[in-house]
Each structure stands twice: as C-alpha cells, then as structure tokens.
Amino acid sequence: MKRLSLFTLLLFLCIATLEAAPRQITVWHSYRGAEETAINGLAEEFNALHRDDIRVTLLAVPYDAFANKITSAVPRGNGPDAFIYAHERIGDWAASGIIEPLGPYYTEHIGTRMLPVTIEAMRSGDKLWGIPLAFKSLVLFYRTDLMDAPPGTTDELLAVAERFTDRAANRYGIAFEAASAYFAAPFLTGFGGGFCLDEAASDTPCLDTPENAAALSFIADIVRERKVAPDEATGALVTHLFAEGRVPMVISGPWLMGELPADLPYAVATLPVVSATGLPMRPLLTVEAYIIAKHRRTDIAAARAFGEFLSSEASARQRALAGRQSVATLFAYDSPAVRNDATLMLFKRQAEQALPMSNRPAMRMVWEPLATALRKVLRGADTPQHALAEAGRHYALFTRPPAKAQSPAIFLATLLALAVVGFGYLWWRFRRERVIATMRREPTPYLYLLPAALSMFILVFIPFTVGTAVSFFAHRAGEWRFVGLANFVSILSSQDFPVTDPLNFYFTLAVTVGWTAVNVALHVGIGLALAMLLRDQWLKLRGVYRILLIVPWAVPNYITALIWKGMFNRQFGAVNGLLDLFGVEPVSWFSSFWTAFAANVATNTWLGFPFMMVTALGALQAVPRELEDAAAVDGAGAWDRFRHVILPLLRPALLPAVILGSVWTFNMFNIIFLVSGGDPDGATDILISEAYKWAFQRQEQYGYAAAYATLIFIVLLLYSKFTERRAGGTA
C-alpha cells in the first residue's frame, strides 16, 4: 500500500510539473544588427511577463534561405511555430495551407492599430494572414553638404544631376541599381504603368504597355544618354559613391542607413513627381509580418499573444528607436521621440504613397522577365516596346500550367521489373565471381568496408534516387502530380524556345560544353606549364612560388567570384583600369555574350589551374631524369622530350584529374551565378544555373529542375565512360 501511495504521489507530481511547464513557442527571423538586438530584448521582456505560461525562443535564419526553409519544413511538421518575413510570399503559403489566418477578432483588433497600407499587404482572399510589424520602401537619400534641398520633380532631379556629373572625375549626379526590376518599379508607376497584379483576380501582369515603355526609356536616358548615373551599379557601389561624396543623390531603402558612417551629412526625402505625367513615383512597399505556421503542435493562442506583444505601441516604439525600424503600428508615431525623428517620419510618409507589393504567386514570376527587358534596353540591344513584349512572352511560358497528370501504374511496373532484373544481374555476377563464398570465408575486409558502403548508400544513392524520382513529378503551389516523362519531353523537344534562345536546352548545353572545354584546356595548359617551371632545381624560392600559386584554389570560390565581378565593373573595375593605361576604351563586359563568357572563363581559370599544377607537380616527381637525359643525348629537343617522354608518363595521373576537373567545371554554379549572373539575357547560363532558376525563380518547378539535373548526370556519365574507353584504347 505504501509503494502504491508513493507511486501515486510521484505520478501526481509529474503531471503537475508538466501542467505547470510554460508553453514553448519558436519564432524564426532574419534580423541582424540593431534590429536583432531590439527583438531579442522584446523576447526577454515577453518571457519575463509570461514566466509561468509562455516561453518564446528566437532563432536567426539567413534571409536567402528563409523562404525555402519555411516551404520545405512546415508542411512536414518541422520548423517554427511563427516567423517574421516579408509579406510577398503570403499568397503562396496561404494557398499551400502552411500558415494560419488571424481570425475575425484579431483582424478587427489589429486593423485599427496599423497603417492601412500595411494591412492591405496582409490580405489574400478574404482573410488576413499576418500581423504587420515594419515596412521598407525606396526613398531618395541626398547629401546635405552637396545640395540644399531635394528635387521635387524629375526635371529638377535631372538638372541637379547634370550639374554635378563629371565623368572624368568619376562623379555622377544620381546613383541607383538601374538594372534591377525592383528599382525600376517607382519609375513604372510614375509614368502611369505598373504590374496590374494589385487588381482583383488578376494573375497576368500588364508589362507590355506604353507607360512601362516610357519608364524604361527614361531610365535608359539617365544611364546611357545623359550618363548622369553609373551603369552596372550594385548596392555596394551605390553606398561607396554616396559615402565618398561622389554622388549627391541615391535611391535606396532603409538598409542603406546601417552602411553609412554615423557622421555623414545626409537626409532622406520622398521620391519626386514625374514631370511628364504629374504622377508621384510610387515605390513598392515590402511589409515584414509576424506569421503563424500551421502545425498540429502549434499553440495558436500563445503564438498570437507574442505577435500582439510585438505589434503593441510600447514594443513598436522600442523597435523604431532602438532597432531603427519603420514600424507599422500607428500609435508608435504619437511618441515625441518617434515623431521628432525626421527619418522615421519620412519613411512613414513615403509608405503612404507606396504601392504594396502584390503577394500573389504570379508576382514572383515578373522579376526575371522584367529585369531581362530592362538590361536589354540599358545596353541598347532592344527597344523598350519589343523588350517588354518578350518579357510578357517569357512570363507566359514560366507560368504555363503543369503537364497533365498520368497514372503511375505503368511506371511502377517498369521500375519493379528493372529492379528485379538489376538484382538478378548482381546476384549472377556475385555468384560467378564467388563474392558470396569469399564473404563467408573471409568476412573481415567486408566488415571494414561496411561503414563506407552505408555512408555512400545514405548520402549518395538515396538522394540521387529521390532527385531522379522528383523529375517525374510536377510541383505547383505545394501540390505534386505525377506527369511521367513530360518534363523530359518538354526539355528535350524545346518547342517553346527557338534554338537561338538562351532558354533552349540545346543552346544551354552547347554553352556548357564550350565553357567546360575552354576552362579545362586552360587549367591543364597553365597548370602543366607552371609545374614544369617549378620542378627545376635551379629556380630559387620554389617553395614560396608554390604557396602563392596555390592560394587561388585555397580561397573559397564565391569570394573569388565576387572579387572578379568587381574587377570587371565598367566604370570602376581594375580590368578596365588596366585597359585605360594602354588607351583602350572601357569594355562593358556583361553586355555581350563573348565578353561575359570571357569574364567567366578568366575567373574560373584563376580558380582551376592550381589543382592541375599540384597534380602535375606530384606526377613529375616520378618521371626519371635519366629518360630525359637519354633523349637529349639522342638529339631530342625540349619539345620532343616533353611530348614523347614526359607527357606519356604524366597521362595516367592527369587523366583522372581532367575527368574530375571537367565534372567540377560542368557544374560550376558559383562562377556563373556570381560573376555574369547569366548575362546577357541568360546567354552565359550553364545547365546547372538554368536548373536553379527553374527550381527557385520560376514558380518552384522542382520537377522540371530535377529533370535538368538528371540530364546533367546522364551527360556526365556518358562523357566519363567515353573518356575511360578512349584512355583504355590508347593504353
């Protein structure tokens, strides 16, 4: 009886402890710096207020990977209970059923406390899907030591810009990322154009309009004709020019403030009115929202409580003053400290004139076609009207309905038959070569191999099998359908794209093969030449040279790619600086195929030759000097000795290195993505970068991208088998 009473008491205590444990809420965000410090402080304050019932844990997630992590984790019951992210993906997530609507009470309660424009951004269908916390939009930054007042119209802006511009001194009148579709948006709205996706039930953008064409012409006039703004401008370049006083005005967002020196004399102003139309330039408004994930385990009430706390007047005031956020809570602007902050009030005023970015899935399909059209116009390769018409055609192709669903029965039967045949063949081979008998007689070596075999099975075979299986499906808005070989047929037939179109599979394949051949030839040639130089005993400081020449391979390739990208900048790049010393005109490296291709090749050659050099150096150590001396005595020159003595002995070591280097180069995504970005117009994209775009920039067509990846594997498999056979034939 005593034991039973003790057990009952312990059980009661355990239940009481579990009931008393606070409810756990995990919240993801991507804040850094002052914003992260502010939200961490608010989480600590919330936990102190709800010590007994709710516990919030914050987790910082990199912004670039944030959306994909939410899309993949939440439907599988993983990921956060709530998260803070830009509102632009709300339409996707609401349609996929992975986020929770606010509900009638919260909709009415929160709607009265927020800026109306931020509430509209939260709406998808007839529901609100998030609590707006902060907003971001483009504004005009100007140096108060270089100009007295901001321009009110575009005519005034051009007058100031032309007065300040001095191209010989690398001074410009205005700077912004002219080739970015996001930065083009306020010009589109100022000329009376736009996207039409903010209208009810509209999923087709109106890109090809006279108003949008006029806007693109105006941007091209600023950059190409008047040359008062730098072309190929990046965010880093805009910041650098503004901080150094080499440009008096820039168009940027609140993120610029964190990159400027604290003592820099500047102010912010709303974007000017377009003189030709009398309409204000309305930038796109991005709203950062607190969104609740739809989990079975999520405590909705607890998650909403933290969201209400973050959006309260006191919390919003703290985020505004300490985190330097443009907050969505109206009452925060009643605080004297916030009201007297000219920058925060200016961003609020600009937000009231801004256009909330559409959260429809179709909006994400607009960026790539519009950016391509914009870059064509900026380099003078096309007229605005024709470029926008092409953009509309590409948009239609990117958003076409997926292939019809098919029954998987015949494919499963075929797969099962192939599996039976494959296992039967393996069993026959094992029996013929007496593998089973050997394993029974001497199992120890195979036990040592077992961990490596399991690792290969888990890390290579299973992902490869899953990736190949995905290529037989179509994915759209979180839904999968089996389509059989439709993705492969679409890619290989390339019916929608002519052969000269960079989106054509065979065009991209030809570019990829040419890219690989040129790079591997340069890697082997330069690497072998340097290895021959470094093998000679008479060369002083050989060790130092070897270390220096291997540095390009040791540095992470994405860092090298970004450095070379800056070196190829038209106005400020080191490459054009060297050309200028010889009286050569600056080259716009990414405006034509061959120059962009050359820039990519130069970067990848710098990265790749050290590997071949080290491989050749190691193989040269095994080449007997006596053979070379004997050939020299017989009258063979240096070239003949290299060709007939050294090279045949190096071939067994170089061949695997060439195959491995070819595979690396064939799939060298980082260089293409970071240096040329596929410019011009995707012409320098290779197969792997094209697969990336289909997966992450074109409505998440994972099946189509997986089919690309499967075709890449087949091409590389055929190449390696062909190379091995040729090598075996010559041996």
Side-chain angles (χ1 to χ4, degrees):
M1 180 65 73
K2 290 182 178 180
R3 290 181 179 178
L4 183 61
S5 300
L6 181 60
F7 174 77
T8 305
L9 178 62
L10 290 174
L11 181 62
F12 175 78
L13 290 175
C14 289
I15 295 174
T17 302
L18 290 173
E19 289 180 350
R23 294 170 287 174
Q24 299 290 327
I25 299 297
T26 301
V27 178
W28 285 6
H29 67 89
S30 59
Y31 290 142
R32 294 293 183 270
E35 289 182 310
E36 184 175 16
T37 302
I39 195 170
N40 285 339
L42 289 171
E44 292 176 3
E45 183 179 337
F46 180 84
N47 286 335
L49 291 172
H50 297 265
R51 189 182 306 275
D52 297 328
D53 58 339
I54 304 175
R55 174 91 184 161
V56 171
T57 302
L58 298 180
L59 179 63
V61 177
Y63 181 82
D64 292 341
F66 202 109
N68 291 329
K69 286 181 178 292
I70 292 295
T71 302
S72 59
V74 173
R76 292 161 180 80
N78 302 315
D81 300 289
F83 56 93
I84 300 171
Y85 193 70
H87 78 281
E88 59 202 50
R89 298 295 294 268
I90 281 178
D92 274 327
W93 292 330
S96 302
I98 64 176
I99 60 176
E100 188 77 26
L102 292 185
Y105 166 75
Y106 289 93
T107 298
E108 181 179 351
H109 182 56
I110 290 173
T112 60
R113 297 191 289 118
M114 303 295 169
L115 283 169
V117 69
T118 64
I119 290 294
E120 286 304 310
M122 299 298 103
R123 195 178 303 280
S124 180
D126 59 349
K127 298 178 181 178
L128 297 183
W129 297 87
I131 301 174
L133 298 180
F135 55 85
K136 290 181 171 67
S137 72
L138 297 175
V139 295
L140 184 73
F141 289 76
Y142 66 98
R143 290 282 298 258
T144 54
D145 58 336
L146 299 177
M147 50 191 297
D148 297 329
T153 65
T154 53
D155 284 347
E156 294 175 10
L157 182 145
L158 291 175
V160 173
E162 289 180 335
R163 190 165 58 249
F164 192 86
T165 298
D166 183 357
R167 288 183 293 276
N170 282 328
R171 287 171 44 193
Y172 294 89
I174 186 170
F176 62 99
E177 297 177 53
S180 167
Y182 177 76
F183 282 80
F187 293 93
L188 301 183
T189 56
F191 276 87
F195 305 102
C196 299
L197 293 174
D198 54 324
E199 298 174 2
S202 175
D203 280 326
T204 303
C206 49
L207 297 178
D208 185 14
T209 65
E211 294 80 9
N212 287 347
L216 265 59
S217 296
F218 183 80
I219 297 172
D221 180 60
I222 292 176
V223 177
R224 291 187 65 248
E225 303 301 329
R226 300 175 186 264
K227 297 183 179 180
V228 297
D231 56 4
E232 299 182 11
T234 63
L237 178 61
V238 169
T239 303
H240 174 73
L241 293 175
F242 190 66
E244 286 200 345
R246 294 162 72 179
V247 60
M249 300 177 290
V250 299
I251 298 175
S252 190
W255 52 85
L256 179 65
M257 296 187 293
E259 301 171 357
L260 297 175
D263 58 347
L264 192 74
Y266 74 91
V268 291
T270 56
L271 295 177
V273 172
V274 174
S275 301
T277 63
L279 298 174
M281 295 173 63
R282 300 180 63 193
L284 293 177
L285 186 75
T286 301
V287 181
E288 291 175 349
Y290 179 86
I291 304 171
I292 299 173
K294 195 168 187 177
H295 285 306
R296 290 182 181 177
R297 58 176 173 78
T298 299
D299 190 321
I300 303 297
R304 284 175 174 167
F306 184 58
E308 276 203 83
F309 175 80
L310 287 180
S311 63
S312 66
E313 179 182 352
S315 297
R317 188 165 57 248
Q318 185 171 334
R319 289 188 289 110
L321 297 175
R324 303 304 299 160
Q325 286 187 336
S326 301
V327 296
T329 306
L330 274 171
F331 300 131
Y333 294 94
D334 295 334
S335 166
V338 177
R339 193 167 56 247
N340 293 331
D341 191 311
T343 302
L344 292 176
M345 295 305 296
L346 185 282
F347 273 102
K348 175 177 177 289
R349 190 158 63 250
Q350 182 69 83
E352 292 168 346
Q353 298 179 3
L355 180 69
M357 186 185 300
S358 174
N359 59 34
R360 297 175 185 271
M363 186 66 195
R364 290 193 294 122
M365 296 297 100
V366 170
W367 300 120
E368 184 183 349
L370 180 58
T372 300
L374 182 57
R375 288 193 291 267
K376 284 181 179 179
V377 174
L378 283 175
R379 66 174 186 268
D382 206 348
T383 63
Q385 294 80 5
H386 186 265
L388 288 170
E390 281 293 297
R393 187 177 73 87
H394 282 172
Y395 173 87
L397 292 172
F398 294 159
T399 57
R400 61 190 173 187
K404 293 181 180 179
Q406 300 182 23
S407 172
I410 186 171
F411 290 90
L412 290 175
T414 304
L415 182 63
L416 182 61
L418 290 174
V420 170
V421 171
F423 281 117
Y425 174 75
L426 288 176
W427 182 258
W428 174 75
R429 286 288 301 269
F430 282 178
R431 287 182 62 86
R432 194 183 76 166
E433 298 177 9
R434 300 183 181 277
V435 175
I436 304 297
T438 304
M439 290 176 64
R440 290 174 178 173
R441 187 173 60 254
E442 298 179 5
T444 304
Y446 295 96
L447 291 176
Y448 282 118
L449 291 174
L450 184 60
L454 287 176
S455 299
M456 288 290 292
F457 181 78
I458 294 171
L459 300 177
V460 177
F461 181 76
I462 291 179
F464 173 77
T465 304
V466 172
T468 304
V470 168
S471 65
F472 296 99
F473 289 81
H475 174 268
R476 197 66 57 89
E479 295 183 1
W480 296 86
R481 66 168 67 173
F482 184 83
V483 296
L485 297 173
N487 290 327
F488 294 96
V489 172
S490 176
I491 293 171
L492 294 175
S493 64
S494 295
Q495 297 176 351
D496 298 316
F497 310 105
V499 177
T500 56
D501 194 316
L503 291 171
N504 184 285
F505 171 78
Y506 299 101
F507 181 97
T508 309
L509 177 62
V511 171
T512 308
V513 171
W515 154 261
T516 304
V518 171
N519 275 284
V520 172
L522 289 172
H523 293 170
V524 174
I526 296 173
L528 196 53
L530 290 173
M532 292 294 294
L533 288 174
L534 292 174
R535 74 187 288 242
D536 288 323
Q537 299 294 331
W538 55 264
L539 185 65
K540 296 180 179 180
L541 301 176
R542 284 192 307 157
V544 175
Y545 294 144
R546 289 180 180 183
I547 293 173
L548 292 177
L549 288 171
I550 207 173
V551 166
W553 192 41
V555 176
N557 58 21
Y558 69 90
I559 294 177
T560 301
L562 293 174
I563 293 172
W564 279 85
K565 170 77 170 180
M567 290 171 61
F568 282 111
N569 185 271
R570 187 179 186 279
Q571 286 101 350
F572 304 98
V575 176
N576 279 342
L578 290 174
L579 294 177
D580 186 58
L581 294 177
F582 297 97
V584 180
E585 287 291 325
V587 177
S588 183
W589 290 93
F590 304 112
S591 63
S592 71
F593 172 80
W594 292 111
T595 53
F597 187 81
N600 288 338
V601 168
T603 306
N604 200 55
T605 300
W606 173 260
L607 282 168
F609 79 83
F611 172 72
M612 294 298 177
M613 181 190 73
V614 171
T615 303
L617 266 175
L620 283 170
Q621 306 303 315
V623 177
R625 289 283 187 170
E626 293 80 3
L627 293 178
E628 297 181 63
D629 294 339
V633 170
D634 290 339
W639 171 249
D640 289 328
R641 293 198 301 273
F642 173 77
R643 181 182 175 188
H644 297 291
V645 177
I646 297 175
L647 193 57
L649 295 174
L650 289 180
R651 191 171 297 158
L654 282 180
L655 183 61
V658 169
I659 294 175
L660 188 58
S662 299
V663 173
W664 285 346
T665 304
F666 199 90
N667 287 325
M668 185 53 73
F669 171 80
N670 283 356
I671 302 304
I672 303 298
F673 186 76
L674 296 175
V675 178
S676 73
D679 282 341
D681 312 327
T684 57
D685 270 322
I686 58 177
L687 290 175
I688 192 67
S689 60
E690 191 67 19
Y692 170 85
K693 289 183 176 180
W694 283 108
F696 300 111
Q697 295 182 2
R698 299 168 186 167
Q699 222 167 10
E700 296 172 347
Q701 299 187 47
Y702 297 134
Y704 206 80
Y708 257 93
T710 304
L711 291 172
I712 291 172
F713 170 77
I714 293 172
V715 170
L716 290 176
L717 180 64
L718 294 175
Y719 164 75
S720 62
K721 291 298 181 183
F722 171 78
T723 308
E724 288 176 7
R725 180 164 295 186
R726 287 295 301 269
T730 57

